[in-house]
Amino acid sequence: MNAAKAFLYSFSPHFHHLHPHKTRPDKSLHRRRCSVSELRPPNQRRHDFRFSVNREGHRFVFLVRARQPGVKSEPCDVSTESVKFQDELNEVVVSGEEDGVAWWEEFPKRWVIVVLCFSAFLLCNMDRVNMSIAILPMSAEFNWNPTTVGLIQSSFFWGYLLTQIAGGIWADTVGGKLVLGFGVVWWSVATVLTPIAAKVGLPFLLVVRVFMGIGEGVAMPAMNNILSKWVPVSERSRSLALVYSGMYLGSVTGLAFSPFLIHQFGWPSVFYSFGSLGTVWFAIWLNKAYSSPLEDPHLRPEEKKLILTKSVSREPVKTIPWGLILSKQPVWALIISHFCHNWGTFILLTWMPTYYNQVLKFNLTESGLLCVLPWLTMAFSANLGGWIADTLVSRGLSVTTVRKIMQTVGFLGPAFFLTQLSHVNSPAMAVLCMACSQGTDAFSQSGLYSNHQDIAPRYSGVLLGLSNTAGVLAGVFGTAATGYILQHGSWDDVFKVSVGLYLVGTVVWNLFSTGEKILD
């Protein structure tokens, strides 16, 4: 009844007096027709009101009827202006704009944090993959052989390795906001300094790449710490998938724009332009982000209640129980699986443009553009996997089962498609195999990458730092080993090593991992 009143009220003069911005109907199209019964004694009364409204070619009919036998009605016409709705509808809220709250202010703050983390990871991979494109003209200019190229590519991981555990401890003790902000600023400065260091000499370039790795090394533990506090368990997979898809889209952006910038302005331009974007992100981060919901003075009470009632209590960590952590089989399953997963991932991240250039005979621009497809596939499938995983959990499937299913796809999918590369005869099929390999790899975001918060929510930053240290070691050894293998062997040998490690990871993960909390 209130809805009908509100609708009728919107046609009244009172409504248009209070809301002049609303369109007023044309009087010529707007008349009501009613039947009013003759007045009878109360026990023989009959009312039959029918409102017929024509507005802009649409007809609306409202009927309110109370019957008593033997009553006769006569029709009458009543104009719009003669109807008074104010007293009858004074409690109807007609416009939702009167509460004074804009739609963007009602957007969940936890998803603002997720989007900001997504943006940080977008910049992270933009700054990381630009070297994989720029290394081609750089190696030609400075006469670097494949072994030297592998050394330069792997030097990033030396610094990345140093700050994994330290970043996790730092984030769990002082808060993720400070640590992630520091990381973005640090690696952005190192990115801008890369061309200068390269022109000075190889040792200086290696040092700057190490510094860049130090900045990016704290990003994942800090992000894991923040999301473990802001995101309820029921939204964990999709939020992490969105954040990690920022890495993939960062690769897409970096690989797509780097060739254009190199052709137009020279290879140093990619480092200057990408690195400068970090300052914009940092300004927004300082203004909008908080390490936990308890620290945010602008968080709406209902959202704070939702987060705190559906999340595990996470007081700041004062000491790290290293002995207890390292005594758990699921922790070692996570560490080993992370190593096996990252070996193949980092090889494709750093060497894919070279593969396209050397094996498929694509030029620099084609290599950069075709590298975009696998990363786009990863961005899509990571979010798809996140929604699938959260849906399975919400329908009663155990977290352990969901994590094992998703990570098995993340291992066996890439292994299968990499084995097909030696059997394809066309560049198009090779690119398709790469895309499918990377696409199935992204299901790992709902597998091992979500598992840190499952098994140790209060130590999620430390645990991610610990397992990602193993993953970075895979990047260091795998990237350097690829350069050595290519100098003495073939790409088929490179892919065989990756496939073997994917299979080892599958066995270890399914035997020893769990989705249950093992550390409080």
Side-chain angles (χ1 to χ4, degrees), residues 184-238:
V184 174
V185 171
W186 186 276
W187 86 57
S188 297
V189 171
T191 301
V192 172
L193 292 177
T194 299
I196 301 172
K199 294 180 184 297
V200 173
L202 181 61
F204 294 93
L205 176 60
L206 296 178
V207 170
V208 169
R209 294 295 292 175
V210 170
F211 274 33
M212 183 177 174
I214 288 174
E216 294 202 4
V218 304
M220 289 180 66
M223 175 277 299
N224 217 39
N225 172 274
I226 292 174
L227 294 192
S228 70
K229 296 178 179 179
W230 275 96
V231 179
V233 175
S234 60
E235 300 173 358
R236 177 172 297 161
S237 294
R238 76 190 82 162

Side-chain angles (χ1 to χ4, degrees), residues 53-333:
V53 181
N54 288 296
R55 186 179 186 186
E56 298 178 355
H58 299 280
R59 177 181 173 87
F60 303 90
V61 179
F62 297 89
L63 177 64
V64 181
R65 178 176 294 168
R67 293 182 179 275
Q68 286 293 337
V71 179
K72 202 170 181 181
S73 299
E74 295 180 1
C76 65
D77 285 337
V78 183
S79 68
T80 303
E81 284 71 15
S82 66
V83 181
K84 305 297 183 183
F85 291 95
Q86 181 174 357
D87 293 338
E88 188 176 358
L89 300 174
N90 56 6
E91 294 182 357
V92 177
V93 178
V94 178
S95 174
E97 298 170 358
E98 294 178 2
D99 57 10
V101 179
W103 67 266
W104 58 84
E105 294 178 357
E106 296 183 350
F107 188 77
K109 186 59 179 290
R110 63 189 183 277
W111 284 97
V112 172
I113 300 297
V114 170
V115 170
L116 286 172
C117 289
F118 163 88
S119 304
F121 277 62
L122 182 79
L123 296 177
C124 176
N125 263 34
M126 283 177 63
D127 292 340
R128 187 187 302 183
V129 303
N130 57 12
M131 177 60 83
S132 65
I133 295 292
I135 198 72
L136 297 174
M138 290 172 73
S139 60
E141 180 177 334
F142 298 111
N143 296 316
W144 293 332
N145 60 36
T147 301
T148 302
V149 171
L151 183 66
I152 294 170
Q153 296 276 45
S154 66
S155 63
F156 165 87
F157 297 106
W158 305 345
Y160 197 65
L161 177 65
L162 292 175
T163 50
Q164 291 298 311
I165 297 176
I169 297 173
W170 193 16
D172 286 346
T173 53
V174 306
K177 175 181 178 177
L178 175 64
V179 179
L180 185 55
F182 161 82
V184 174
V185 171
W186 186 276
W187 86 57
S188 297
V189 171
T191 301
V192 172
L193 292 177
T194 299
I196 301 172
K199 294 180 184 297
V200 173
L202 181 61
F204 294 93
L205 176 60
L206 296 178
V207 170
V208 169
R209 294 295 292 175
V210 170
F211 274 33
M212 183 177 174
I214 288 174
E216 294 202 4
V218 304
M220 289 180 66
M223 175 277 299
N224 217 39
N225 172 274
I226 292 174
L227 294 192
S228 70
K229 296 178 179 179
W230 275 96
V231 179
V233 175
S234 60
E235 300 173 358
R236 177 172 297 161
S237 294
R238 76 190 82 162
S239 64
L240 283 170
L242 179 62
V243 171
Y244 283 115
S245 68
M247 297 178 66
Y248 309 142
L249 291 176
S251 297
V252 169
T253 306
L255 293 169
F257 282 95
S258 292
F260 171 77
L261 291 172
I262 290 172
H263 280 302
Q264 294 294 321
F265 308 105
W267 62 264
S269 63
V270 297
F271 299 101
Y272 296 141
S273 57
F274 289 0
S276 62
L277 294 175
T279 57
V280 178
W281 179 91
F282 184 65
I284 300 173
W285 179 252
L286 285 180
N287 185 47
K288 297 294 184 181
Y290 292 88
S291 292
S292 76
L294 296 175
E295 298 178 14
D296 190 344
H298 307 296
L299 184 64
R300 293 161 60 219
E302 56 269 28
E303 185 176 8
K304 181 179 289 188
K305 180 180 178 181
L306 170 68
I307 295 171
L308 296 180
T309 55
K310 292 191 176 182
S311 301
V312 180
S313 178
R314 299 178 179 91
E315 296 80 9
V317 172
K318 296 181 180 179
T319 59
I320 308 298
W322 291 110
L324 182 62
I325 290 175
L326 296 176
S327 68
K328 302 293 185 179
Q329 284 187 346
V331 172
W332 284 103

